Amino acid sequence: VQLQASGGGLVQAGGSRTLSCAVSGTIFSLNSVGWYRQAPGKQRELVAYIGSSGYTNYADSVKGRFTISRDNAKNTVLLQMNSLKPEDTAVYYCNAGPLNRVAAASLDSWGQGTQVTVSS
């Protein structure tokens, strides 16, 4: 599976940003896709995931602010981030696979990620 996360950058607190994850090398429509983030000195954590059926799940810290969506025609998953906070600052990664492994972040390879920095 090849993954390309993009869309990161510097944004002010309260602002919005949309991240994009392009997935190739697999049958995209059959896979779940997750967004994860890792802040300096912290472990990687699950932000949100979307199943092949469109089922979504979010970390409590982003519920109501982030929205994950998928476009099976473009093999792409988006993460719309609103009302950003300084604590959202992290490198954001995406990954794809079976739902149970996506939910558990138990996946083999990770792309480079994209940096999101939220200034106060």
Side-chain angles (χ1 to χ4, degrees):
V1 179
Q2 289 79 49
L3 306 149
Q4 182 64 53
S6 61
L10 177 64
V11 61
Q12 287 189 332
S16 298
R17 200 82 180 180
T18 300
L19 305 183
S20 179
C21 175
V23 181
S24 60
T26 187
I27 303 175
F28 178 79
S29 61
L30 299 181
N31 280 271
S32 298
V33 179
W35 278 101
Y36 310 81
R37 65 187 181 188
Q38 187 167 19
K42 295 187 177 181
Q43 289 189 330
R44 184 180 290 137
E45 63 175 354
L46 176 68
V47 175
Y49 66 80
I50 184 165
S52 57
S53 64
Y55 170 80
T56 59
N57 191 59
Y58 298 89
D60 288 342
S61 59
V62 307
K63 279 181 182 176
R65 300 189 297 122
F66 290 14
T67 302
I68 189 170
S69 62
R70 66 189 296 156
D71 185 338
N72 287 344
K74 297 181 179 180
N75 286 12
T76 300
V77 169
L78 300 180
L79 184 69
Q80 174 68 43
M81 306 184 295
N82 298 325
S83 303
L84 283 162
K85 305 175 181 180
E87 50 264 43
D88 294 318
T89 295
V91 178
Y92 283 72
Y93 301 87
C94 61
N95 215 325
L99 180 60
N100 60 333
R101 296 186 66 185
V102 167
S106 177
L107 297 155
D108 296 326
S109 62
W110 296 82
Q112 287 188 325
T114 186
Q115 175 73 47
V116 174
T117 302
V118 184
S119 62
S120 56

